[in-house]
Amino acid sequence: MRDFDYKKSLGQNFLKDKNVIDKIVGAPDIKENSLVIEIGPGAGALSIELVKKFDKVLLYEIDTRLKDILDDKLKEYNNYEILFDDFLNRDVLKDIEKYDYNNLYIVANLPYYVTTPIIMKVIKEKLPINEMVIMIQKEVADRFNATPGNKEYGQITVLLQYFFEISKVCNVSKNCFIPKPKVDSSVIRMKRRDNLLYLKAFNYFEKLVRDSFRFKRKNIKNNLSDYDLEIINRVLLKYGFDINSRSEELSYEIFVDISNELSDKKM
Ligand code: SAM
């Protein structure tokens, strides 16, 4: 890869540390008849381990310059498919339709510039995944697995924690990549919750959460002044909070409860 012209604009920081690769690939609980999606295989540092561990591997790579490199790296395996396209533009459910699988995973060292769009796509398109193990910017990882009351806790934390149990696998030094990125990284594991809380309307929940965190320093009463504050207060009191509390203090379960109480009225 010495002559490869890495594109910063595509988030091309390739892994070179075998220890980190082993930690990533060792993190998911791989069950029978598995299909794994890797977004951005790059030169295949992770992919070569994925084809060994998973039954089937589907790779999405935006950069066609990597075709020969990937073909060569994976030449001894036949349990993979590479789609040279922008993951964000794909109909992924359609792409995986033809696969026979029982357990679906995403394992990737993500291109950081599209971390949130990728994760939101996975949620919104209801990809039936068991687990995601992803390398992302450390700062973003800290937001994803923050607990209520923590300053990193925010809108994205609540949305993701509704769907996933999130834990950190490890932090990763800048020296583990070529070229060396400017930011620190972490690997996180996002395991789909076995029993999702009943949610009447996801779109309503998403809007409520977004509005709740609109102004960081403001409380619920101010951020949700357009909503039925009486109902919200009634729900909050059950949990020992009220409308003078701040969104950062509230667990995702409380937002689900509020959303369910309110969405009836709006729909
Ligand atoms: N998996 C490799 C590794 O760990 O060495 C490369 C990871 S690198 C951080 C991110 C990869 O994602 C790059 O290969 C880049 O070309 C690819 N990429 C960037 N944007 C993409 C997109 N929208 N869809 C698919 N791949 C993308």
Side-chain angles (χ1 to χ4, degrees), residues 10-15 38 40-42 61-62 86-87 109 111 113:
L10 292 179
Q12 289 183 337
N13 300 98
F14 292 178
L15 265 171
E38 184 189 4
E61 175 54 63
I62 201 169
D86 182 341
F87 176 76
N109 169 17
Y113 75 105

Side-chain angles (χ1 to χ4, degrees), residues 4 7 9-16 21 24 38-47 60-63 65-66 83 85-89 108-114 118 135 177-178:
F4 188 73
K7 281 201 176 145
S9 61
L10 292 179
Q12 289 183 337
N13 300 98
F14 292 178
L15 265 171
K16 62 168 183 177
I21 293 168
I24 296 174
E38 184 189 4
I39 302 145
L46 261 180
S47 331
Y60 290 92
E61 175 54 63
I62 201 169
D63 188 348
R65 294 176 307 156
L66 291 159
L83 297 173
D85 203 352
D86 182 341
F87 176 76
L88 293 173
N89 291 340
N109 169 17
L110 289 184
Y112 295 173
Y113 75 105
V114 277
I118 287 173
M135 170 115 69
F177 301 86
I178 305 176

Side-chain angles (χ1 to χ4, degrees), residues 197-214:
L197 281 184
Y198 171 66
L199 185 55
K200 279 184 192 157
F202 179 74
N203 289 346
Y204 188 87
F205 173 68
E206 193 189 7
K207 181 178 181 317
L208 172 81
V209 173
R210 187 170 56 229
D211 290 343
S212 300
F213 286 93
R214 180 164 297 160

